[in-house]
Amino acid sequence: MEYLGFIPILVLVAMAGVQLGLVAYAAQQAGTAARAGARAASLEPGTAQDGCQNAVSDWLSVSCEPAEGADEVTVTAVVQIPSIVPGWDFDPAQKSATMPLDH
């Protein structure tokens, strides 16, 4: 009986562990999306968003902004971090990647 009072704390700790894993996964996916978007935009202008979207898991929300320079393109990917712990809200994961233009 004494252990039943401890179960909510264990559940909260487990959810916090899963949440930290989601934060790390979203950050990793943002890096992958930025590289894929930059690669796509370096080959063909206007394809950064498609490259980003195809590189991340379907259940994550990603947006990409390309910025072309004279001989390179930089893409910034922003991935929304899902929250499973009530009251925990996170800023989105944001990563950038630069590739030389090939077109």
Side-chain angles (χ1 to χ4, degrees), residues 30-31 33-35 37-38 48-49 52 62-67 73-79 93-98:
R35 285 189 302 277
Q49 182 63 39
C52 286
V62 62
S63 63
C64 288
E65 272 306 311
V73 63
T74 299
V75 173
T76 301
V78 178
V79 175
Q94 185 172 335
K95 301 284 183 170
S96 296
T98 303

Side-chain angles (χ1 to χ4, degrees), residues 30-45 47-48 51-52 55 65-76 95-103:
T32 299
R35 285 189 302 277
R39 190 176 307 114
S42 74
L43 296 173
E44 186 176 338
T47 60
C52 286
E65 272 306 311
E68 273 195 40
D71 58 350
E72 64 186 22
V73 63
T74 299
V75 173
T76 301
K95 301 284 183 170
S96 296
T98 303
M99 296 275 179
L101 290 173
D102 287 339
H103 60 271

Side-chain angles (χ1 to χ4, degrees), residues 1-89:
M1 285 297 201
E2 297 171 5
Y3 296 110
L4 290 177
F6 199 63
I7 288 177
I9 294 170
L10 290 175
V11 169
L12 185 61
V13 168
M15 287 174 62
V18 171
Q19 183 66 61
L20 289 176
L22 280 173
V23 169
Y25 184 70
Q28 180 270 332
Q29 288 286 281
T32 299
R35 285 189 302 277
R39 190 176 307 114
S42 74
L43 296 173
E44 186 176 338
T47 60
Q49 182 63 39
D50 291 338
C52 286
Q53 192 67 48
N54 292 334
V56 299
S57 298
D58 292 337
W59 54 274
L60 288 175
S61 172
V62 62
S63 63
C64 288
E65 272 306 311
E68 273 195 40
D71 58 350
E72 64 186 22
V73 63
T74 299
V75 173
T76 301
V78 178
V79 175
Q80 298 299 321
I81 299 173
S83 178
I84 63 165
V85 178
W88 283 18
D89 294 322

